Amino acid sequence: NLLLRAGLSKADKNEALLELARDFEAGGFAERAIASYEEVLDANPREREALEHLVKLLGSQRDYPRALALVKRWRRFDAAAADAEEQRLLLAQAGAQAGEGDADAARGTLKRALRKDKTSAAAWSMLGDLEAERGRDAKAILAWRKAVAADRSVGPSLLPKIEAGFAARKKPQDFEKYVRGLLEERPDDAGAHVALARTLASRGEPGRAIESLSRAVEIAPNAPALRVELGRMLLDGGHDGEALKAFGALLDVIERDDWRGAATEGDEEDAE
């Protein structure tokens, strides 16, 4: 009704358009919200809220070219936030392109993302997957290694891929060398200790494998999966007594987590 008024001031019209866009967005009407935010920006190109919401809405609709074009305008107001959003959009675009079978376009988008941020573990990881699909094991290993170097949290998911890549190149010994190098740089990397333990176990060195896996448990004591793996490794090695201790510690972790969950639920019920 406000927008239909002939004598409405420019400021009031812009505010009404912005409120309309907010309502469309809150109601889940993405296309209408996009059109309304675009109308706001046509009238006031420096409307920051409209610009930020429009970029995110276009990204959610997978209209990446338009969203990325608008990020340049966003950067004038908040360079850090715009850079983070651009990286998110590029990764999403690469994922969509890979899902559609356009691996070349996905690689190009990922390289663009890496030019912006060479420490993007997600970009390196995805690039490694694309190289592996083409049978380029050496390039895949290199990309995955860069991902692990950038963010140790991706190690548990990528180290098995790196190991498989070295095996495909008939260089399994290079994987152990790589993992030991990781541990020299960061001895508190639980994922690297697990990878080394599995390598040692597969090579028939259960004692050293147990030692490495025990170190991983020390670093990440609240990870039940590690305690399960250690218990099984101890059982396989005939260390029944130590296995019982490992499984007993596992039960303590599970009970503690259950107690914390129950306490949290009780707090939520009290708050209600």
Side-chain angles (χ1 to χ4, degrees):
N1 287 336
L2 283 171
L3 291 171
L4 291 173
R5 291 184 183 179
L8 194 66
S9 70
K10 182 179 179 179
D12 287 342
K13 182 178 180 180
N14 287 345
E15 184 61 28
L17 280 172
L18 190 55
E19 287 288 355
L20 189 63
R22 290 168 181 155
D23 287 344
F24 280 139
E25 184 179 5
F29 301 100
E31 291 298 332
R32 291 186 178 185
I34 287 170
S36 296
Y37 281 128
E38 286 178 330
E39 194 172 351
V40 172
L41 287 174
D42 286 341
N44 182 9
R46 298 184 64 81
E47 175 53 60
R48 178 173 173 174
E49 179 186 344
L51 182 60
E52 293 179 6
H53 283 256
L54 182 56
V55 168
K56 292 178 180 179
L57 279 168
L58 289 170
S60 70
Q61 297 300 105
R62 299 175 67 145
D63 192 344
Y64 301 114
R66 287 171 68 194
L68 288 166
L70 286 171
V71 166
K72 296 178 182 178
R73 290 168 61 181
W74 184 354
R75 190 172 283 111
R76 299 172 191 168
F77 304 106
D78 189 339
D83 288 345
E85 183 64 18
E86 181 179 33
Q87 195 71 2
R88 189 191 69 80
L89 287 167
L90 288 171
L91 291 173
Q93 183 180 42
Q97 291 165 333
E100 293 164 0
D102 194 347
D104 289 337
R107 274 191 295 275
T109 301
L110 289 170
K111 288 178 181 179
R112 180 180 171 188
L114 289 166
R115 283 195 295 272
K116 299 285 184 180
D117 180 7
K118 293 181 180 180
T119 64
S120 173
W124 283 120
S125 176
M126 198 182 304
L127 183 60
D129 290 343
L130 290 172
E131 296 295 358
E133 288 173 5
R134 293 199 299 176
R136 298 185 175 183
D137 296 314
K139 288 190 174 182
I141 291 170
L142 178 61
W144 288 328
R145 287 179 63 167
K146 288 186 176 181
V148 174
D151 182 1
R152 71 171 64 188
S153 70
V154 303
S157 62
L158 292 186
L159 287 173
K161 293 181 179 182
I162 296 172
E163 182 179 20
F166 276 121
R169 302 191 71 222
K170 302 187 186 306
K171 295 182 177 181
Q173 70 281 0
D174 285 356
F175 176 69
E176 182 179 345
K177 182 179 178 181
Y178 161 63
V179 173
R180 290 191 181 279
L182 273 182
L183 289 172
E184 286 180 9
E185 295 174 7
R186 45 198 202 199
D188 60 340
D189 188 332
H193 280 289
V194 172
L196 179 59
R198 291 171 180 169
T199 297
L200 292 169
S202 66
R203 204 170 62 200
E205 297 186 40
R208 296 175 65 195
I210 289 170
E211 181 181 344
S212 186
L213 191 53
S214 297
R215 177 63 182 137
V217 171
E218 289 175 8
I219 296 167
N222 295 320
L226 291 185
R227 292 187 180 276
V228 170
E229 187 168 354
L230 177 60
R232 288 174 175 166
M233 193 175 287
L234 287 166
L235 283 176
D236 291 342
H239 305 284
D240 295 353
E242 293 181 40
L244 284 174
K245 289 180 182 178
F247 286 128
L250 169 64
L251 291 176
D252 290 339
V253 171
I254 293 172
E255 288 176 355
R256 186 164 58 249
D257 287 345
D258 287 345
W259 181 85
R260 286 173 181 168
T264 302
E265 290 175 4
D267 291 343
E268 290 174 353
E269 290 174 0
D270 290 343
E272 292 175 0

